[in-house]
């Protein structure tokens, strides 16, 4: 009888020990599972302190080795500078770049950042930093001029200050002449705003002439049909606010009335 009681007690202790071990194993498993399910990163908004989880800041100068100018060019700039869309000088075309390179790298970088002619500021991507624009511009110009060391923009700007002022004055005079010509053309057409002229001067032709980045080509009725069905108000809003890869107002400084005239013209050409 005593032997049976001893054996029963030992069995009970064995069960309890086994049960305790199982629970311990479950705890370890839960800890391992929690570690596996932990987020691999942390989302940080600009200005927030996320400690060591935050991504390293992008390089802003130095030799430019950390900024992929070629990659930025291929994502943003090549659509126009490989095809010559809207009169953009093609990369490597020395004839097209001859007069431009005489203005100096600092002036050409300023054009890349602030926009010029049909090209919007920062190539239409406002998220690009000055350092990224400098690297992309350097890659664009390498085949046609001696590019200064990246990060020396301030020194180059000081050297080219006089030339920049002359170029700015010439561009201002040209803009005034174009504005007068546009006004006269609109008046001759019997309208206050000439959508066709604004379509070219505001830079819309850069994408809508060749279908860059999926932009519906001017005059392509099939490409415009579904868009026109949405109504003019929605088409206006799409341009005002931007849509897809198209920046707000197409990257231009055109007024609401001018943008509406451009949209009216493009719709008329597709109908």
């Amino acid at each position: 009888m005593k032997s049976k009681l001893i054996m029963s007690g030992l069995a009970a202790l064995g069960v309890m020990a086994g049960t305790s071990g199982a629970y311990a194993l479950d705890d370890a498993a839960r800890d391992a599972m929690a570690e596996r399910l932990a987020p691999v990163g942390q989302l940080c908004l600009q200005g927030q302190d996320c400690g060591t989880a935050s991504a390293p800041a992008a390089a802003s100068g130095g030799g430019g080795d950390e900024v992929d100018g070629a990659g930025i060019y291929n994502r943003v700039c090549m659509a126009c500078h490989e095809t010559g869309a809207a009169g953009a000088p093609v990369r490597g075309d020395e004839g097209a770049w001859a007069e431009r390179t005489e203005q100096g790298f600092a002036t050409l970088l300023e054009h890349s950042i602030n926009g010029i002619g049909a090209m919007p500021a920062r190539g239409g991507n406002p998220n690009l930093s000055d350092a990224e624009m400098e690297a992309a511009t350097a890659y664009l110009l390498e085949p046609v001029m001696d590019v200064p060391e990246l990060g020396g923009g301030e020194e180059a700007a000081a050297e080219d200050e006089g030339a920049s002022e002359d170029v700015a004055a010439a561009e201002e005079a040209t803009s005034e002449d174009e504005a007068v010509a546009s006004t006269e053309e609109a008046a001759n057409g019997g309208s206050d705003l000439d959508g066709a002229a604004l379509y070219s001067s505001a830079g819309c032709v850069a994408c809508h002439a060749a279908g860059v980045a999926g932009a519906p080509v001017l005059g392509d009725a099939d490409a415009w049909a579904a868009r026109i069905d949405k109504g003019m108000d929605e088409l206006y809003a799409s341009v005002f606010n931007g849509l897809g890869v198209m920046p707000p107002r197409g990257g231009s400084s055109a007024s609401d009335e001018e943008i509406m005239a451009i949209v009216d013209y493009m719709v008329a050409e597709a109908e």
Side-chain angles (χ1 to χ4, degrees):
M1 184 67 176
K2 289 182 178 181
S3 176
K4 291 184 179 180
L5 290 174
I6 292 172
M7 293 299 293
S8 299
L10 290 174
L13 289 173
V15 171
M16 291 176 64
T19 304
S20 176
Y23 279 115
L25 180 61
D26 288 344
D27 291 340
R30 281 195 293 271
D31 291 342
M33 183 181 296
E35 182 177 355
R36 290 196 299 271
L37 296 178
V40 297
Q42 182 177 0
L43 178 62
C44 297
L45 299 179
Q46 185 175 2
Q48 289 182 338
D49 181 10
C50 295
T52 57
S54 59
S60 58
D65 293 339
E66 290 105 359
V67 181
D68 184 7
I72 297 169
Y73 170 85
N74 290 332
R75 293 194 306 273
V76 179
C77 315
M78 71 176 297
C80 292
H81 285 288
E82 292 292 323
T83 63
V90 174
R91 183 176 188 268
D93 186 339
E94 295 184 355
W97 283 101
E99 294 185 2
R100 294 174 169 89
T101 54
E102 291 178 359
Q103 301 172 23
F105 181 79
T107 296
L108 296 179
L109 175 58
E110 180 185 354
H111 293 167
S112 297
I113 293 174
N114 299 320
I116 184 172
M119 182 182 71
R122 302 179 188 274
N125 186 342
N127 295 320
L128 292 175
S129 67
D130 288 355
E132 289 171 323
M133 289 304 302
E134 183 181 26
T137 302
Y139 177 79
L140 170 62
L141 296 173
E142 281 173 354
V144 295
M145 72 178 294
D146 292 330
V147 176
E149 182 179 356
L150 298 187
E154 294 181 0
E155 295 179 3
E159 293 175 358
D160 293 340
E161 183 177 358
S164 298
E165 292 177 355
D166 293 340
V167 171
E171 290 174 355
E172 183 177 356
T174 301
S175 298
E176 292 177 355
D177 292 341
E178 290 176 350
V180 171
S182 179
T183 302
E184 291 177 350
E185 184 177 354
N188 292 335
S191 172
D192 292 334
L193 295 174
D194 187 341
L198 290 168
Y199 164 79
S200 298
S201 64
C204 308
V205 64
C207 293
H208 288 285
V212 173
V217 175
L218 180 70
D220 186 339
D222 292 336
W224 280 94
R227 294 172 169 87
I228 293 174
D229 289 341
K230 296 179 180 180
M232 294 304 295
D233 288 342
E234 185 162 343
L235 287 177
Y236 296 145
S238 297
V239 183
F240 291 148
N241 302 320
L243 182 66
V245 298
M246 180 181 69
R249 299 180 178 276
S252 76
S253 58
S255 66
D256 289 358
E257 292 77 11
E258 290 171 334
I259 287 175
M260 293 171 71
I262 294 170
V263 174
D264 291 343
Y265 163 71
M266 297 179 73
V267 168
E269 289 294 303
E271 290 179 338

